[in-house]
Amino acid sequence: MATTTLEPQADTYRRSWVLDWLTTVDHKKIGILYIVNSFIFFFAAGILALVIRSELMVPGLQFVDIETYNQAFTMHGTIMIFLFVVPVLTGFGNYIVPLQLGAPDMAFPRINALSFWLLPLGGGLIFSGYLFGGAAAEGWTAYAPLTSERFAPGVGTDLWIIGLTLVGTASILGAVNFIATIFKMRAPGMTLFRMPIFVWTVLVTATLILLATPVLAAGLIALFIDRNYGGSFFDPSVGGNPVLWQHIFWFFGHPEVYIVVLPAMGVVSEIIPVFSRKPLFGYKAFVFATIAIGLLSFTVWAHHMFTTGQVLLPFFAFMTTLIAIPTGVKMFNWLATMWRAKITLATPMLFALGFVSMFLIGGISGVMLAQPPIDFHLQDTYFVVAHLHYVFFGGSVFGVFAAAYYWFPKMTGRMLNEPLGKVHFWLHFIGFNLTFFPMHQLGLSGMPRRIADYSPDAGWTILNLMSTVGAFMIAISVLPFLVNVIASLINGQPAGDDPWEANTLEWATSSPPPPYNFDRLPPIHSERPLFFLTHGHGHAPAAGREHDVIEEPEDDPERRGGLA
Amino acid sequence: MSARAAAVDSHDVHVTARESAMPTALLGMLLFIASEVMFFGGLFATYFNARASAAGEWGPPAGAHGLDIVLAGVLTVVLVTSSFTMQFGVWAIRRGDIGKLRLWTALTLILGVAFVLGQLYDYSVLGFGIADGVFGTTFYTLTGFHGAHVFGGTVGLTILLARAMRGQFSARNHVAVEAISIYWHFVDVVWIAVFSTIYLLR
Amino acid sequence: MPTTGARSRARSIVRAGGLLLFLMLLGGCLLPPDPKTDAGQDVFNLYILVLALAALVFVGVEGFIVYAIVRYRREPGDDALPEQHHGNTKVEILWTAIPSVIVLVLFVMSVITLGSVEARADRPGVTIEVVAKQWTWDFRYPDGVEVTGSSGRPTELPLPVGEPVRLVIISEDVNHAFFVPEFLIKRDAIDMGENAAPNEIEFTVTEAGTYAGQCAEFCGVGHADMIFVVNAMPRADYDAHMAALAAGATPPPAPGEGDCPTTIQVAAVESIRFDTDSIEAPAGEDFCIELTNNDTIEHDIGIEEIGFDGENVAPGESITYLIPAMEAGDYTFYCTIHPREMVGELKVTE
Ligand code: HEA
Ligand code: HEA
Ligand code: CUA
Ligand SMILES: [Cu+2]
């Protein structure tokens, strides 16, 4: 019970400032809270990753014991997914979606605040295992029966369950809010097919969250009942079924992986056109591909269970591989957007291209894993670890940084420093590949995941060493980013309303936007209302007066450029 | 640049909620219910999975009393009736008849409470618990989570009734009534599914 | 920083090219181990096909990105808009169709391979119960022999070469997975209770030797210690080995120096040759070949007829291979890395 004595004046000042943020229901402030909170968790989980990598650098147990190691990768995976990537993208969604729709706020501002505040609470509970005899240590997938009370008696696992349930509830509420906002709060003229792609991806993502997360909640509750009330959902000795957990977890888990990547794809689809000075090629194809991925994602969960011997291999292999097609459509649309474009390699664009090129590798390794005979060899090896980082890190995290560099000027009114941003990108990009590319080979030669130690005779030492060096390089690369953000907040160049000559409505208001976002809205006749204002038909800058009559004709054969 | 700025200025902002059939709050409730459907879907999946792979007879452990289908049947009637009374309340307020709304809401609330109490009574005499084999686990989880939802509904109904007593609803303004009624119907439908699955599909 | 467009383009090419090269170096060759079972060979072949398709997609897409960045850079001060392409239905169809074909090819090839990996012989040569538990393996043989192990020390799994082996994989507690990288196969060990029968896998080992195996499904603190070693040998040796195990005797010693009555010296010498093209060994008893590598690259020794393939030896090092007893006759020994350059004849005499 320490009492802090503060100068009375400072007290009132600070209290009002803090209170303002604690009680805010403004979507922009909540968005920033989301993003800052997520980055704190990112650093925590990243430090756990460094623990993992240090331990694996050379054979032998040098830094931590096995129990600590197991807690480290469990917490690392859990926090990265549930408290970094998902919430940080939700944060950008919170900030940007109402702006892009021309709306003053989210549909349910109070629920919005509630869903944010559940996050630090849930995350805190998950982490608090460290204070009560050890955090959960059964992997982020928490397979039964390893998570039963018998094999994992610690309270850390219960805290993990409760924390995740809260985080899940938060994202369900958030999803309701997003969908309602998108259907109810669009500005006049903003038809569904004029919405920016980012909004579309958020819409599909929110739908996935809405339908997948409750299933995880049901599973978590079942697990909790098994552990604490003598239930037997997953206990084979009294009629339960341990594989049932895997079905439930992956029925949620696979949509979850698209939940973390679709909004990042949306970010990339905003950035590539702007820095190519062209519209996104194949807008509608892109929208339908996103919806197709969403639908398919509910039919493929058992590709995580090929080696359980309990699933229909050809069916799930086929459905899984099928996802390559809509994903490919997106890839090719990005590429076609850059065809005959005028590309500027500003930092947001670099990260966006980093996304495209790295996600490709992760996608391809995913397709390899989707072939059951190959998965028999690779399942639960470092090849899977490589795959998941290429899609999560090479995909989502590159997308997150792209979004951060792209929208920072809008959120703060200040530009980030370009040279520092480029240093960040290249260190990040090289460190990332150095860390995770060797893992493909490690997995192919049989190194299982989730081991704290390996034999020096196995021939895995050099590749592990490279990987560890890469991990520290990633960690260092984050420093220029932090420096950049802080320096810019203190003394950044003013950004103006629209520093990138962008297309969408968030750039039509001041940076940062005023409360309730817009004093005036431009007319909306296409998915690029701002571009339209400046360029009219898109051939030459047009005077901004006749825009009311100019429709951007989507089916006019004359204007359909195309590759052919 | 300046052309654009001028254009931005020249237009008034229309950023009100879209004028369409469904109020935002109602849409929110429907979306929430969609997630609830998936939640119960998960629980039902555990039930069916356990049932499909059960080796012996599927049901309460030997020595227990067995399920009381008569009591469950009565509870079903109670809950289905409450769905009707709820709907009568909705129709009443759509006509602007707040007096009838109070009456029907109170009746619905009483039926809901009766259901919860009946279920608690049922639990107390069943003679097996959640830890008695996988049937016990799935049975209590399914009916328990349904019961919790009914309980949540009764809390909502209480608030609704209080607001109705203060005259806060009218023919034009009663979104909360519509929202709670959808939720209540949903809970009713879930019970019909639970009842059919556990009691009828033996 | 005034840079001309051409120079910055050149820089980008160097950057991108360097990057690709770097990636390739990092990847090594991205291959799984040489398969030592028939099923493993099928998986390996499928993998090669998939890797080739993957490489195609990879090079195509990354190549285009690099090309676009280099070719379509916006010059400083260039304010003209590029042509505004909004889409093109024909190309959309094209790039939906091509991946669809790839997906179908993959599916068909996978299912075919799956068929041969999952094929079951009517009467396998031996059926062994593999029992996984925290954190050791037990192997139960039909005639009551049980090989048990202890955590951190590999349990031995003796197997006959050249005949189908069936493994029934059970768990006594949490989930584990049976995994032998050089067989390219793995299967979970799950206590299924009444839900389902335990998992089975079947394969034919094609080459005598010892192969490391390890639990691949996370199973708690001892997960990394759940190791075993497959000891695959010709039928005769296998029978003797199992008889010895049944009698409770210690099994024949594992290969190592000093265990052989006869040791034959062979050296690999510069420019990819053996120092001899003919060696002799006694029939009916184990013998050793000591290979000294005086060359500047790696070599090993294999014996074609019995499917023996020894470990590789680095330049300047030597190794001793234990060769299981052979019948009298003429055989071929060779370096499996350089089978054409380095061959010789092995005479096994009474
Ligand atoms: C963002 C997250 C994300 C994303 C997007 C994906 C995308 C995909 N994943 Fe991945 N996956 C994970 C996250 C993700 N995954 C995680 C976290 C795990 C491990 C979980 C754990 O066990 O801890 C995992 C594990 C995992 C497995 C199980 C491995 C195992 O444990 O044995 C499989 C198997 O099928 C798989 C497949 C795929 C496929 C086919 C895709 C596809 O969607 C990829 C599609 C994309 C492309 C193919 C590239 C672009 C396409 C083209 C250029 C068109 C032309 C190409 C072809 C026709 C090939 N993933
Ligand atoms: C979005 C998801 C995400 C992200 C971004 C990462 C990022 C990283 N991961 Fe992650 N990882 C997973 C998701 C993710 N991981 C998952 C799901 C698993 C599976 C877990 C399981 O098996 O259950 C996994 C497992 C996993 C393993 C396998 C463990 C095992 O199986 O034994 C390894 C091993 O190297 C690893 C390494 C790394 C590294 C080095 C990074 C790095 O890229 C991290 C880089 C970040 C930093 C280093 C932070 C920077 C911080 C600072 C510079 C300090 C500054 C501090 C302050 C200012 C306070 N991860
Ligand atoms: Cu047994 Cu891992
Ligand atoms: Cu998946």
Side-chain angles (χ1 to χ4, degrees):
Chain A
M1 269 294 203
T3 31
T4 359
T5 16
L6 280 167
E7 220 185 304
Q9 253 180 334
D11 191 47
T12 32
Y13 169 72
R14 275 189 53 191
R15 183 140 356 105
S16 62
W17 182 82
V18 171
L19 255 185
D20 187 30
W21 280 90
L22 285 181
T23 56
T24 183
V25 294
D26 174 32
H27 75 99
K28 296 185 288 300
K29 284 194 169 155
I30 293 178
I32 289 177
L33 284 175
Y34 262 111
I35 294 169
V36 170
N37 180 62
S38 304
F39 268 98
I40 293 172
F41 278 110
F42 172 61
F43 292 140
I47 288 167
L48 288 172
L50 295 181
V51 171
I52 295 174
R53 281 311 333 156
S54 307
E55 187 50 65
L56 291 175
M57 181 165 61
V58 288
L61 284 174
Q62 290 86 17
F63 300 102
V64 293
D65 58 21
I66 295 177
E67 188 54 43
T68 314
Y69 181 89
N70 294 349
Q71 293 173 17
F73 70 70
T74 304
M75 287 294 121
H76 164 73
T78 309
I79 300 295
M80 279 291 188
I81 295 176
F82 294 102
L83 287 145
F84 170 52
V85 195
V86 178
V88 80
L89 290 166
T90 313
F92 283 112
N94 242 291
Y95 199 106
I96 298 300
V97 165
L99 284 168
Q100 288 193 330
L101 293 176
D105 204 320
M106 296 280 280
F108 307 112
R110 279 159 211 272
I111 292 183
N112 201 20
L114 173 67
S115 18
F116 167 72
W117 286 106
L118 283 175
L119 279 180
L121 182 64
L125 276 179
I126 293 175
F127 257 123
S128 68
Y130 277 113
L131 306 176
F132 298 101
E138 293 83 42
W140 82 284
T141 51
Y143 275 13
L146 187 61
T147 36
S148 65
E149 201 206 349
R150 181 166 148 227
F151 298 107
V155 70
T157 307
D158 293 309
L159 291 167
W160 182 89
I161 296 173
I162 299 168
L164 265 195
T165 313
L166 288 181
V167 171
T169 312
S171 54
I172 292 172
L173 293 178
V176 170
N177 213 340
F178 274 121
I179 300 177
T181 306
I182 292 170
F183 279 114
K184 289 288 170 187
M185 307 281 286
R186 299 193 308 275
M190 181 61 77
T191 60
L192 281 180
F193 279 98
R194 289 176 190 163
M195 295 195 309
I197 292 289
F198 179 65
V199 177
W200 267 109
T201 55
V202 169
L203 176 61
V204 174
T205 300
T207 313
L208 294 185
I209 292 178
L210 194 71
L211 300 180
T213 315
V215 179
L216 175 70
L220 288 172
I221 285 168
L223 185 59
F224 197 78
I225 290 174
D226 269 14
R227 286 175 58 82
N228 295 291
Y229 304 109
S232 47
F233 282 107
F234 309 122
D235 180 356
S237 64
V238 274
N241 181 354
V243 177
L244 177 63
W245 168 262
Q246 297 189 30
H247 280 297
I248 294 178
F249 185 85
W250 291 118
F251 183 84
F252 150 80
H254 191 85
E256 171 76 6
V257 309
Y258 296 107
I259 289 168
V260 308
V261 88
L262 285 179
M265 289 175 161
V267 170
V268 168
S269 315
E270 295 296 310
I271 291 176
I272 289 185
V274 168
F275 292 91
S276 301
R277 309 196 82 203
K278 282 180 61 189
L280 182 70
F281 192 90
Y283 173 95
K284 282 209 171 142
F286 204 97
V287 170
F288 290 129
T290 307
I291 295 173
I293 291 177
L295 290 176
L296 281 173
S297 73
F298 283 102
T299 62
V300 303
W301 74 90
H303 66 221
H304 297 274
M305 302 164 60
F306 283 156
T307 60
T308 57
Q310 309 293 322
V311 299
L312 201 59
L313 298 173
F315 173 78
F316 286 105
F318 184 69
M319 297 313 282
T320 303
T321 319
L322 219 50
I323 296 193
I325 298 171
T327 316
V329 168
K330 295 183 158 205
M331 280 271 169
F332 300 132
N333 279 320
W334 289 324
L335 299 188
T337 305
M338 298 199 297
W339 185 70
R340 293 203 175 157
K342 300 230 166 128
I343 296 172
T344 313
L345 285 187
T347 312
M349 183 67 166
L350 281 176
F351 274 99
L353 292 176
F355 174 102
V356 178
S357 52
M358 294 300 102
F359 180 77
L360 173 75
I361 299 180
I364 289 177
S365 60
V367 170
M368 296 168 105
L369 288 169
Q371 314 312 314
I374 297 179
D375 188 64
F376 289 168
H377 179 56
L378 294 174
Q379 204 264 337
D380 265 326
T381 66
Y382 261 81
F383 194 90
V384 177
V385 178
H387 162 69
L388 77 88
H389 285 93
Y390 265 88
V391 282
F392 270 150
F393 196 111
S396 312
V397 177
F398 272 75
V400 166
F401 279 114
Y405 280 97
Y406 183 59
W407 280 314
F408 185 88
K410 178 50 59 183
M411 296 176 169
T412 63
R414 294 178 185 275
M415 300 301 287
L416 285 168
N417 174 294
E418 270 294 309
L420 264 183
K422 287 189 173 134
V423 170
H424 174 197
F425 172 77
W426 284 110
L427 273 176
H428 208 73
F429 187 78
I430 295 169
F432 167 74
N433 281 294
L434 190 59
T435 311
F436 296 111
F437 204 82
M439 289 184 183
H440 291 111
Q441 185 60 46
L442 282 173
L444 280 162
S445 43
M447 178 167 169
R449 59 195 284 205
R450 295 170 173 170
I451 54 174
D453 190 15
Y454 49 93
S455 155
D457 305 330
W460 299 331
T461 315
I462 293 177
L463 291 173
N464 270 303
L465 187 65
M466 282 165 76
S467 176
T468 303
V469 172
F472 279 91
M473 214 163 142
I474 301 176
I476 292 170
S477 82
V478 178
L479 297 180
F481 175 69
L482 290 176
V483 171
N484 207 344
V485 167
I486 293 167
S488 163
L489 285 178
I490 295 172
N491 189 21
Q493 216 187 311
D497 290 0
D498 180 14
W500 309 121
E501 298 182 55
N503 301 325
T504 41
L505 284 183
E506 75 268 32
W507 306 102
T509 181
S510 63
S511 310
Y516 306 107
N517 298 343
F518 294 96
D519 299 329
R520 296 245 184 289
L521 266 180
I524 301 158
H525 296 300
S526 75
E527 87 278 11
R528 298 196 293 166
L530 277 218
F531 174 87
F532 207 53
L533 272 185
T534 338
H535 299 289
H537 267 293
H539 299 299
R545 274 288 154 186
E546 285 130 336
H547 48 252
D548 270 347
V549 288
I550 308 170
E551 281 279 338
E552 199 168 40
E554 281 193 334
D555 312 305
D556 182 352
E558 255 187 35
R559 291 196 53 256
R560 226 197 254 150
L563 276 184
Chain B
M1 198 58 201
S2 58
R4 180 190 286 190
V8 171
D9 285 340
S10 70
H11 276 263
D12 288 17
V13 191
H14 291 281
V15 274
T16 45
R18 311 214 105 202
E19 303 269 337
S20 63
M22 190 184 293
T24 308
L26 219 53
L27 176 65
M29 178 55 84
L30 279 179
L31 291 169
F32 178 69
I33 285 176
S35 84
E36 290 276 55
V37 168
M38 293 308 286
F39 176 79
F40 278 103
L43 293 185
F44 274 104
T46 64
Y47 179 89
F48 281 112
N49 183 287
R51 191 187 128 101
S53 50
E57 175 125 343
W58 178 245
H65 296 295
L67 300 181
D68 187 345
I69 191 166
V70 177
L71 178 55
V74 171
L75 291 178
T76 309
V77 173
V78 168
L79 205 58
V80 172
T81 312
S82 79
S83 238
F84 281 98
T85 54
M86 183 79 240
Q87 196 55 34
F88 291 146
V90 173
W91 285 332
I93 194 64
R94 280 186 196 161
R95 291 189 314 263
D97 186 346
I98 194 154
K100 285 272 168 53
L101 172 68
R102 289 182 191 135
L103 178 73
W104 289 123
T105 309
L107 245 161
T108 313
L109 180 57
I110 291 170
L111 289 171
V113 171
F115 178 89
V116 174
L117 292 180
Q119 201 174 29
L120 287 179
Y121 170 76
D122 191 21
Y123 282 0
S124 70
V125 296
L126 272 177
F128 65 94
I130 196 168
D132 295 327
V134 72
F135 179 83
T137 307
T138 50
F139 172 84
Y140 278 101
T141 307
L142 257 183
T143 56
F145 268 94
H146 174 263
H149 279 74
V150 178
F151 178 75
T154 59
V155 172
L157 284 171
T158 311
I159 296 171
L160 201 64
L161 187 59
R163 291 185 60 187
M165 295 316 270
R166 292 199 200 146
Q168 290 181 358
F169 301 114
S170 67
R172 290 204 58 197
N173 178 9
H174 59 269
V175 186
V177 183
E178 301 272 355
I180 298 275
S181 80
I182 297 182
Y183 179 81
W184 194 254
H185 294 320
F186 162 72
V187 169
D188 189 15
V189 169
V190 172
W191 174 254
I192 291 173
V194 170
F195 179 74
S196 323
T197 309
I198 295 184
Y199 291 86
L200 301 182
L201 261 177
R202 291 294 297 283
Chain C
M1 231 199 354
T3 348
T4 67
R7 219 202 284 154
S8 76
R9 253 180 217 167
R11 233 207 281 124
S12 316
I13 297 183
V14 172
R15 264 191 210 148
L19 200 81
L20 281 182
L21 197 74
F22 172 72
L23 281 182
M24 280 158 70
L25 284 180
L26 277 184
C29 41
L30 281 183
L31 289 180
D34 250 0
K36 308 291 190 207
T37 64
D38 57 349
Q41 186 64 49
D42 293 332
V43 175
F44 190 87
N45 297 344
L46 176 69
Y47 177 83
I48 298 294
L49 174 92
V50 175
L51 185 68
L53 285 174
L56 208 73
V57 174
F58 175 79
V59 171
V61 175
E62 304 284 6
F64 184 89
I65 296 176
V66 172
Y67 173 80
I69 293 177
V70 175
R71 177 77 177 60
Y72 302 123
R73 264 310 239 300
R74 181 180 180 184
E75 306 285 337
D78 174 2
D79 273 337
L81 276 183
E83 206 187 321
Q84 303 288 300
H85 309 281
H86 284 257
N88 180 313
T89 314
K90 270 189 214 134
V91 297
E92 297 283 354
I93 291 175
L94 186 73
W95 64 46
T96 308
I98 293 177
S100 303
V101 172
I102 299 183
V103 166
L104 279 178
V105 170
L106 281 178
F107 179 66
V108 170
M109 296 309 293
S110 267
V111 168
I112 292 174
T113 309
L114 198 58
S116 64
V117 171
E118 297 282 273
R120 299 283 178 263
D122 296 335
R123 284 185 46 231
V126 54
T127 301
I128 303 163
E129 251 178 42
V130 171
V131 182
K133 55 186 185 225
Q134 286 182 331
W135 287 285
T136 60
W137 299 91
D138 289 353
F139 302 114
R140 295 190 189 134
Y141 286 77
D143 37 15
V145 179
E146 180 166 348
V147 191
T148 56
S150 61
S151 182
R153 292 235 314 282
T155 317
E156 188 202 25
L157 173 59
L159 292 180
V161 167
E163 47 193 276
V165 175
R166 182 174 299 172
L167 304 181
V168 180
I169 302 172
I170 342 185
S171 163
E172 287 191 348
D173 40 48
V174 304
N175 300 356
H176 306 269
F178 178 92
F179 179 33
V180 182
E182 282 165 290
F183 293 177
L184 276 66
I185 197 148
K186 121 165 25 80
R187 198 54 51 93
D188 292 355
I190 303 176
D191 177 2
M192 288 301 295
E194 291 154 349
N195 297 288
N199 283 327
E200 293 185 1
I201 54 176
E202 196 173 298
F203 51 77
T204 303
V205 185
T206 48
E207 217 173 283
T210 55
Y211 309 111
Q214 183 161 1
C215 175
E217 181 68 64
F218 182 62
C219 54
V221 172
H223 171 52
D225 290 334
M226 261 182 91
I227 48 184
F228 59 93
V229 58
V230 174
N231 187 1
M233 45 206 149
R235 186 75 207 189
D237 295 4
Y238 170 79
D239 286 339
H241 194 91
M242 294 315 294
L245 281 177
T250 35
E257 276 129 298
D259 292 336
C260 315
T262 323
T263 299
I264 304 156
Q265 308 276 348
V266 178
V269 294
E270 207 135 323
S271 66
I272 314 183
R273 284 185 306 110
F274 284 125
D275 66 344
T276 167
D277 57 8
S278 170
I279 51 178
E280 262 187 47
E285 56 168 288
D286 296 357
F287 64 95
C288 287
I289 301 179
E290 187 183 346
L291 173 65
T292 310
N293 188 351
N294 297 328
D295 199 353
T296 49
I297 52 171
E298 272 196 355
H299 296 292
D300 73 351
I301 283 185
I303 301 170
E304 195 165 18
E305 288 79 1
I306 61 167
F308 175 81
D309 177 2
E311 257 179 66
N312 297 355
V313 201
E317 311 217 352
S318 65
I319 194 172
T320 305
Y321 304 115
L322 177 76
I323 314 288
M326 294 166 68
E327 281 169 33
D330 284 348
Y331 300 84
T332 314
F333 79 94
Y334 65 112
C335 168
T336 59
I337 310 171
H338 309 98
R340 245 173 304 140
E341 293 85 347
M342 300 170 71
V343 277
E345 133 187 82
L346 165 64
K347 289 202 172 104
V348 178
T349 49
E350 295 294 349

